[in-house]
Amino acid sequence: MRQENYLIALFNKDLLDLRVPLPPILDRFFGGYLNGGNTLTRALEWNLRYCLMGHLFDRSGRVRKSLLKEKHPTREIELLRRRFLFMGLVNAVFAPFIVLYLLMYSFFRYFEEYHKNPSSIGGRQYTPYAEWKFREFNELPHLFRRRLNESYPVASEYIDQFPKEKVALVMRFVAFIAGSFAAVLAAATLIDPDIFLHFEITPHRTVLFYLGLFGTILAAARGMVPDAHRVFDPEILMREVISQTHYMPTEWKGELHSQKVQTEFGKLFEMRVNIFVQELLSVVLTPFVLWYSLPQNAPAIINFFREFTVHVEGLGYVCSFAVFDFKRHGNVNFGAPTEQQDERLMSNQGKMEKSFLNFKAANPEWNPTDPAGSAYLTRMENFNHQLGWSPSAARLRQQRSQTGIGGRLIRQNTPVFIHPNDTQFLSSVHSGHQPGNTSAANEIRLAEKAAMYDRALQKS
């Protein structure tokens, strides 16, 4: 987590310029697609890890002391620039082999998935840039992956709230044509079963081949046609997505229902096909990013490591955001008990405060040693009580998320409204255990604490 925390901080502070340098004429046509600020691909991410972590950390994974103690960082800046330039040259030389590898890897990885479910070709996933933006300090990979996975259904439903009418119209036409041909061929095989395998519509292509072809096209086209009975309510869906991703720029406030927010979120939640195309293009474009864009960030990167690195007894040198130093990095706008006014020392969008609450929710038994952290937890707890949070509702949410009472699995991050008929269930939950289960009291209390801090995390 030591190296990941630094990368999370670099992306949070927007210190990495990942734009592709383009001439003015090309930038006018392709700048919006290539320079949207989120064109981080797996190939470029690997190069970033190698250039930054390989240079700024030693072989044991610790920050090099010479980087922090050197009075004049000019030498370190120049070495980092040369490392970017060298890796750009390496990527340019091996570009043909990388393209071949990506094509073969993608074919074997996605063939079975698209073969079983052709409609998934229009599916979406978070971009690598979005993943680094969403991840919290000190958040373990499996917990982060689970948090993102829980947001996928709602995020897809939110994107579908803004259908592209022209694309939907074309897909309906394609589905109609493919379905018509498939229906005619299916009806012909019912009349004469021998033509199913022996009648060749084109040379060496039988009815079976074209039935599979038109069926695949039909399934893919239907998957890109929005549901005609969908209820339009994007703001509620986006709030659910935000509760899972913990990402909400200031510009989105009051605009969650707008096309603008949908467009910006769509750049973070891209179609798989677009991500694959970007991966292929990055083989050619990554050398230019390493040659022209990233070397200019070398001074800011080195200065960030020197200024935002602290020594912790027993851990060594770590990112200062990861130790939750509220006095130095706290943001009053997010409830931090601090008098800090220098925005340069604060995390953007309250990342440190949200990471602190997220870490506490994942580890209810952990207590901060910093008095400012304890004061922040007390403030959030009081804030919860002012909002009307109740222990019974938290327990009920935790129990229902596990048992699926009422035939519907309730998300842990959604408010729970208790039905009057659930009094018997509430009495068993309120006592801290279910009949015949006396070992669950401690787990219930821990779940109650986790739910409380999780509620504060959402409201923050």
Side-chain angles (χ1 to χ4, degrees):
M1 284 302 302
R2 190 192 311 268
Q3 298 181 3
E4 281 78 3
N5 283 330
Y6 278 103
L7 282 175
I8 294 169
L10 290 175
F11 280 98
N12 177 253
K13 299 292 286 184
D14 297 322
L15 296 179
L16 300 176
D17 184 7
L18 304 177
R19 295 175 297 176
V20 180
L22 294 174
I25 297 178
L26 296 179
D27 186 67
R28 179 181 301 178
F29 296 98
F30 302 102
Y33 180 76
L34 297 177
N35 294 334
N38 57 347
T39 52
L40 176 68
T41 60
R42 296 302 179 188
L44 183 55
E45 180 183 349
W46 184 89
N47 282 276
L48 275 175
R49 282 180 174 272
Y50 179 82
C51 293
L52 296 179
M53 304 305 139
H55 175 66
L56 303 173
F57 291 82
D58 57 23
R59 292 184 178 180
S60 60
R62 300 175 182 176
V63 181
R64 291 193 294 107
K65 295 182 180 180
S66 59
L67 171 68
L68 305 175
K69 296 182 178 181
E70 189 171 347
K71 296 181 179 180
H72 303 287
T74 307
R75 177 176 174 274
E76 296 293 340
I77 294 174
E78 187 61 28
L79 289 176
L80 182 59
R81 282 176 175 167
R82 292 180 181 178
R83 200 176 184 91
F84 283 134
L85 296 175
F86 173 75
M87 288 307 299
L89 178 62
V90 171
N91 279 264
V93 172
F94 289 95
F97 305 99
I98 299 175
V99 170
L100 182 62
Y101 165 77
L102 285 176
L103 289 174
M104 295 180 62
Y105 172 78
S106 301
F107 174 79
F108 290 114
R109 178 182 178 184
Y110 297 113
F111 175 79
E112 182 179 2
E113 178 182 352
Y114 293 148
H115 177 70
K116 291 183 177 179
N117 185 18
S119 60
S120 63
I121 195 173
R124 291 176 175 264
Q125 69 182 54
Y126 291 111
T127 63
Y129 179 82
E131 292 180 356
W132 284 111
K133 276 289 189 179
F134 295 165
R135 191 170 177 181
E136 311 281 14
F137 295 114
N138 296 324
E139 186 174 21
L140 295 177
H142 68 281
L143 295 177
F144 173 65
R145 184 56 53 190
R146 184 180 65 181
R147 182 160 62 87
L148 281 194
N149 290 340
E150 290 179 352
S151 71
Y152 268 97
V154 187
S156 300
E157 189 175 353
Y158 168 79
I159 291 293
D160 292 340
Q161 293 277 301
F162 301 86
K164 296 181 179 180
E165 296 297 335
K166 294 182 180 179
V167 175
L169 185 63
V170 171
M171 289 299 103
R172 287 192 182 97
F173 176 75
V174 171
F176 174 77
I177 296 299
S180 300
F181 279 108
V184 170
L185 293 178
T189 57
L190 292 176
I191 298 174
D192 187 0
D194 290 337
I195 69 174
F196 185 71
L197 296 175
H198 301 96
F199 180 71
E200 296 183 355
I201 299 179
T202 58
H204 309 293
R205 294 292 183 267
T206 63
V207 174
L208 176 61
F209 170 80
Y210 282 99
L211 270 175
L213 176 64
F214 288 126
T216 301
I217 296 175
L218 176 62
R222 280 183 176 177
M224 302 179 69
V225 175
D227 185 6
H229 305 288
R230 179 175 289 110
V231 178
F232 182 79
D233 200 347
E235 184 171 352
I236 292 180
L237 294 173
M238 175 48 68
R239 290 187 182 277
E240 175 70 15
V241 173
I242 292 172
S243 70
Q244 300 289 350
T245 61
H246 305 167
Y247 179 79
M248 180 180 176
T250 307
E251 305 81 41
W252 288 12
K253 292 184 178 180
E255 301 287 339
L256 297 182
H257 63 282
S258 65
Q259 185 75 41
K260 169 190 171 184
V261 174
Q262 190 270 345
T263 302
E264 294 182 3
F265 180 74
K267 294 179 181 179
L268 303 173
F269 192 58
E270 274 278 11
M271 295 183 65
R272 292 182 178 180
V273 175
N274 290 348
I275 294 178
F276 175 70
V277 173
Q278 290 179 2
E279 290 288 348
L280 292 180
L281 290 176
S282 72
V283 178
V284 179
L285 300 177
T286 294
F288 294 96
V289 176
L290 294 171
W291 283 334
Y292 298 103
S293 299
L294 286 174
Q296 300 177 9
N297 302 140
I301 294 173
I302 295 298
N303 291 332
F304 175 83
F305 270 78
R306 291 169 59 87
E307 186 174 2
F308 290 85
T309 298
V310 295
H311 185 272
V312 178
E313 190 67 27
L315 294 177
Y317 291 101
V318 296
C319 180
S320 55
F321 284 124
V323 299
F324 306 129
D325 188 353
F326 284 95
K327 290 185 178 180
R328 185 186 181 196
H329 301 305
N331 191 336
V332 179
N333 295 328
F334 288 86
T338 180
E339 297 180 358
Q340 179 62 254
Q341 299 295 330
D342 190 356
E343 294 185 358
R344 186 179 58 86
L345 297 177
M346 303 177 187
S347 60
N348 293 340
Q349 302 171 14
K351 170 71 75 174
M352 191 192 74
E353 287 76 12
K354 289 186 285 188
S355 299
F356 178 78
L357 292 173
N358 188 45
F359 185 80
K360 178 63 177 177
N363 304 274
E365 293 182 316
W366 173 79
N367 291 312
T369 56
D370 182 14
S374 300
Y376 185 63
L377 285 179
T378 302
R379 182 174 296 183
M380 290 294 102
E381 185 175 355
N382 296 334
F383 181 69
N384 277 325
H385 289 299
Q386 292 176 5
L387 292 174
W389 177 87
S390 66
S392 298
R395 294 192 189 102
L396 179 61
R397 176 172 56 189
Q398 193 265 349
Q399 291 286 343
R400 285 191 169 184
S401 66
Q402 296 177 357
T403 59
I405 275 186
R408 180 171 177 264
L409 190 64
I410 299 180
R411 296 180 181 272
Q412 292 186 355
N413 290 335
T414 54
V416 175
F417 299 94
I418 302 174
H419 194 275
N421 295 333
D422 289 341
T423 54
Q424 183 179 359
F425 179 80
L426 273 177
S427 61
S428 63
V429 174
H430 184 69
S431 63
H433 63 277
Q434 292 180 348
N437 184 9
T438 58
S439 63
N442 292 332
E443 295 182 3
I444 292 296
R445 282 194 292 269
L446 291 178
E448 175 184 326
K449 279 289 185 183
M452 178 179 65
Y453 294 120
D454 184 62
R455 173 73 175 272
L457 174 63
Q458 297 174 43
K459 295 301 180 182
S460 67

